[in-house]
């Protein structure tokens, strides 16, 4: 153990790590004379681009930064970074010799928020590097051909651009939504159809063979059982998102060919029409196209023709109202998102919290700040609901404070130190009720008002206000 350590113990480890990182950065920044990033006309020799040292170093750097769990072989990203030169050299040799074979994929099961489990495939770190290297070459070729209404797993696009486009369609009067959700999409992708669509733009057969090897890599179940793969793309690898977009681009082009307005994010698609009758007609025809042409199955439980306030898209819901002849679309967090938020906050503020209140509020602040960064698109109509959640969190913090005082006389002493009168303090402490009721008594709200929390803990409503500063709707004019 000591022989492998540098002189001076662990103090020199950050320097060693920085040296390994500098090697990757230096190699990844090497200029290429040609390649898909500058010219995508020649797709007959893409394997050389995939196996270039700069591309592999960039892929390894990306995998290391994304971290992630080890695969079947147990190798971590830190171990791969330490062996970066030998890994890059070995992968380059094996890829060009066409003797590279992906390892098995480790299957793990993650619970879904709405119940059930989602299968996640975790390739080995080295295999993730190869997938990332292939992605970096294929993305400049395929991404410009995707429909603009496809927002999932694409550069400069995401959930916020999808919600903004959906809001525009609703504001334009298309206020009936055909909500299409695919059942187990990533497990039912037809390999031959996927490879055929890749071959339309990639003439290097070696790349097609490499992608086929990745798709058919065996899956090791949690109990150690090894299963062969005949269809589907494993979720968890870097290449899976672009492969799903290549498959579903056929659906995008078909919907666009019919002149319909839609927004798609991964396997969730919303089509916007004027009426219920049109929505039922579109739903029937799209279901037939997916099942007969693309060999995919619609999730009947999650799909349907709905009004905007019944649709839950990427954690958001919409509310349309017409006032004075103009359409106004309000954006709220979906009911599922709010329930998940409240459940998480409840778990972060247990009555038996044994640490300091400061650490509790710090954890809540980090979570609420991250949550609000995703839901910052909510309109002012949602601000009141955010304030209600803030008030509920403050009350849970007060209940923890009451419980930590243990005895009534300790609570009286504490409230008096906060400037509460003796009568109000004793009325609260000796009320005979539990901590939850005491947390909302005037003595507690006076000792811990909202202003006390504003300096110590993040607020959903305040964070939303910071992310959405008021805009001047019109210029002020003076009448003389």
């Amino acid at each position: 153990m000591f022989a492998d350590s540098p002189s001076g113990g662990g103090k020199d480890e950050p320097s060693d790590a920085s040296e390994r990182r500098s090697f990757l950065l230096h190699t990844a920044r090497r200029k290429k004379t040609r390649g898909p990033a500058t010219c995508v006309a020649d797709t007959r020799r893409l394997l050389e681009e995939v196996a270039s040292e700069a591309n592999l170093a960039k892929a390894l750097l990306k995998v290391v930064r994304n971290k992630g769990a080890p695969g079947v072989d147990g190798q971590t990203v830190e171990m791969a970074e330490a062996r970066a030169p030998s890994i890059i050299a070995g992968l380059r040799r094996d890829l060009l010799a066409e003797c590279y074979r992906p390892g098995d994929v480790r299957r793990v099961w993650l619970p879904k928020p709405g119940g059930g489990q989602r299968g996640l495939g975790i390739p080995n770190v080295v295999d993730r590097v190869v997938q990332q290297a292939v992605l970096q070459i294929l993305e400049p070729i395929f991404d410009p051909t995707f429909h603009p209404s496809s927002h999932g797993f694409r550069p400069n696009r995401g959930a916020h651009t999808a919600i903004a486009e959906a809001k525009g369609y609703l504001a334009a009067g298309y206020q009936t939504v055909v909500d299409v959700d695919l059942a187990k999409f990533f497990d039912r992708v037809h390999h031959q159809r996927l490879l055929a669509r890749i071959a339309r733009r990639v003439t290097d057969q070696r790349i097609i063979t490499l992608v086929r090897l990745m798709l058919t890599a065996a899956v090791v179940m949690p109990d150690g059982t090894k299963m062969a793969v005949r269809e589907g793309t494993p979720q968890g690898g870097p290449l899976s998102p672009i492969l799903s977009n290549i498959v579903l681009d056929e659906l995008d082009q078909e919907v666009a060919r019919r002149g319909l307005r839609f927004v798609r994010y991964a396997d969730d698609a919303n089509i916007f029409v004027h009426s219920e009758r049109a929505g039922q007609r579109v739903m029937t025809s799209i279901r037939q196209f997916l099942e007969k042409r693309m060999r995919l199955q619609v999730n009947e439980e999650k799909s349907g023709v709905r009004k905007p306030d019944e649709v839950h898209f990427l954690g958001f819901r919409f509310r349309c109202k017409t006032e004075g002849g103009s359409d106004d679309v309000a954006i709220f967090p979906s009911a599922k998102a709010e329930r998940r938020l409240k459940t998480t906050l409840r778990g972060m503020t247990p009555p038996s919290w044994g640490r300091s209140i400061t650490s509790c509020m710090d954890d809540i602040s980090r979570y609420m700040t991250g949550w609000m960064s995703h839901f910052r698109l909510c309109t002012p109509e949602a601000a009141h609901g955010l304030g209600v959640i803030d008030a509920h969190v403050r009350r849970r913090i007060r209940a923890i404070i009451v419980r930590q005082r243990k005895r009534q006389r300790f609570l009286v002493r504490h409230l008096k130190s906060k400037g509460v009168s003796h009568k109000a303090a004793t009325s609260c402490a000796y009320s005979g009720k539990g901590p939850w009721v005491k947390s909302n008594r005037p003595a507690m709200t006076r000792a811990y008002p909202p202003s006390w929390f504003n300096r110590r803990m993040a607020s959903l409503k305040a964070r939303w206000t910071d992310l959405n500063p008021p805009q001047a709707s019109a210029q002020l004019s003076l009448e003389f």
Side-chain angles (χ1 to χ4, degrees):
M1 177 179 66
F2 294 103
D4 294 335
S5 301
S7 177
K11 295 182 179 180
D12 291 338
E13 179 59 25
S15 175
D16 182 54
S18 62
E19 290 177 4
R20 296 195 298 263
R21 186 63 57 88
S22 65
F23 165 79
L24 289 176
L25 291 171
H26 176 73
T27 308
R29 290 171 182 170
R30 290 180 182 175
K31 295 183 179 180
K32 296 188 296 182
T33 57
R34 60 182 179 82
T38 56
C39 178
V40 297
D42 185 11
T43 60
R44 294 171 297 181
R45 298 183 60 82
L46 291 181
L47 187 62
E48 284 74 12
E49 301 292 340
V50 170
S52 68
E53 288 187 355
N55 190 56
L56 289 173
K58 182 179 178 182
L60 178 54
L61 187 62
K62 182 75 172 179
V63 170
V64 169
R65 286 173 172 170
N66 288 342
K67 298 183 179 181
V72 175
D73 62 356
Q75 181 175 229
T76 63
V77 292
E78 291 80 11
M79 296 167 60
E81 184 181 12
R83 299 177 51 244
S86 61
I87 288 178
I88 293 176
L91 286 178
R92 175 173 171 79
R93 180 183 62 252
D94 293 344
L95 288 171
L96 293 178
E98 300 182 44
C99 62
Y100 165 79
R101 295 296 181 269
D104 297 337
V105 177
R106 183 166 68 93
R107 172 61 59 90
V108 296
W109 298 100
L110 301 179
K112 291 183 178 180
Q117 292 181 322
R118 173 184 289 108
L120 188 69
I122 303 179
N124 295 330
V125 174
V126 173
D127 297 330
R128 296 208 295 268
V129 173
V130 176
Q131 290 192 26
Q132 180 66 33
V134 175
L135 170 65
Q136 292 166 178
I137 300 303
L138 293 185
E139 190 173 62
I141 298 175
F142 284 94
D143 189 78
T145 67
F146 293 151
H147 196 277
S149 294
S150 170
H151 296 266
F153 313 117
R154 297 183 59 188
N156 303 319
R157 293 174 183 269
H160 291 172
T161 58
I163 295 299
E165 184 176 1
K167 180 182 179 182
Y169 292 144
L170 293 172
Y174 299 89
Q175 297 185 357
T176 299
V177 184
V178 181
D179 191 2
V180 180
D181 185 87
L182 299 177
K184 297 182 179 179
F185 164 72
F186 288 93
D187 297 332
R188 293 176 175 170
V189 172
H190 193 272
H191 288 175
Q192 198 58 38
R193 287 182 58 84
L194 170 58
L195 296 174
R197 292 191 67 84
I198 296 177
R200 292 182 181 182
R201 297 190 174 274
V202 175
T203 56
D204 192 339
Q205 187 61 38
R206 298 171 298 175
I207 294 293
I208 307 299
T209 302
L210 182 59
V211 174
R212 179 186 288 109
L213 292 173
M214 296 174 180
L215 291 173
T216 57
V219 174
V220 178
M221 306 301 290
D223 59 358
T225 306
K226 185 180 294 187
M227 300 181 59
V229 176
R230 301 185 183 277
E231 63 178 2
T233 60
Q235 288 182 269
L239 195 59
S240 180
I242 193 172
L243 295 182
S244 66
N245 277 333
I246 291 174
V247 172
L248 292 175
D249 186 62
E250 184 177 0
L251 172 63
D252 298 342
Q253 301 302 332
E254 175 65 19
V255 175
R257 185 187 65 81
R258 300 182 185 186
L260 299 172
R261 293 154 180 82
F262 73 98
V263 177
R264 182 180 65 79
Y265 190 98
D267 56 343
D268 293 334
N270 285 348
I271 304 174
F272 301 85
V273 295
H274 277 295
S275 64
E276 174 80 14
R277 183 177 179 181
Q280 295 294 346
R281 184 177 64 252
V282 169
M283 187 69 184
T284 301
S285 60
I286 291 298
R287 182 187 291 108
Q288 292 177 353
F289 177 82
L290 287 170
E291 295 178 353
K292 295 182 179 180
R293 179 72 179 273
M294 299 185 64
R295 304 183 186 182
L296 299 174
Q297 186 175 350
V298 175
N299 189 332
E300 299 296 342
E301 295 182 359
K302 296 183 179 180
S303 303
V305 180
R306 302 185 173 98
K307 294 298 181 183
D309 56 349
E310 300 173 350
V311 176
H312 302 280
F313 186 49
L314 302 177
F316 294 89
R317 60 186 175 92
F318 305 94
R319 181 181 299 169
C320 301
K321 55 183 179 179
T322 304
E323 296 179 356
S326 61
D327 293 321
D328 186 19
V329 180
I331 303 177
F332 297 84
S334 68
K336 292 181 181 179
E338 288 187 354
R339 286 197 299 269
R340 198 177 307 131
L341 170 66
K342 293 176 182 178
T343 301
T344 302
L345 292 175
R346 190 180 303 115
M348 298 177 71
T349 54
S352 58
W353 180 262
R355 292 184 288 164
S356 67
I357 290 297
T358 301
S359 64
C360 180
M361 292 189 294
D362 289 343
D363 294 342
I364 293 174
S365 297
R366 283 191 292 269
Y367 178 77
M368 294 173 76
T369 300
W371 190 90
M372 202 66 249
S373 64
H374 176 73
F375 289 94
R376 65 177 180 267
L377 289 184
C378 293
T379 52
E381 292 82 356
H384 174 72
L386 299 177
V388 172
I389 297 176
D390 288 334
H392 183 73
V393 173
R394 290 194 294 266
R395 183 174 178 181
R396 292 190 66 87
I397 296 293
R398 294 189 190 105
I400 294 176
I401 295 174
V402 172
R403 192 177 182 89
Q404 287 185 342
R405 293 303 170 271
K406 298 183 182 301
R407 297 183 181 181
Q408 291 93 332
R409 66 175 184 272
F410 296 160
L411 180 59
V412 171
R413 188 184 309 164
H414 177 74
L415 292 176
K416 291 175 66 176
S417 68
K418 292 288 185 178
V420 180
S421 65
H422 178 77
K423 180 179 180 181
T426 55
S427 175
C428 175
Y430 292 97
S431 64
K433 303 294 184 179
W436 181 248
V437 176
K438 293 179 181 179
S439 65
N440 205 36
R441 296 297 293 266
M444 284 299 298
T445 57
R446 197 173 305 146
Y448 294 94
S451 59
W452 185 88
F453 289 94
N454 291 342
R455 299 190 300 269
R456 296 169 174 85
M457 186 177 68
S459 164
L460 292 176
K461 189 173 182 180
R463 182 60 180 164
W464 179 88
T465 303
D466 294 339
L467 296 173
N468 297 272
Q471 302 289 335
S473 58
Q475 296 291 335
L476 296 177
S477 60
L478 298 176
E479 295 183 359
F480 295 95

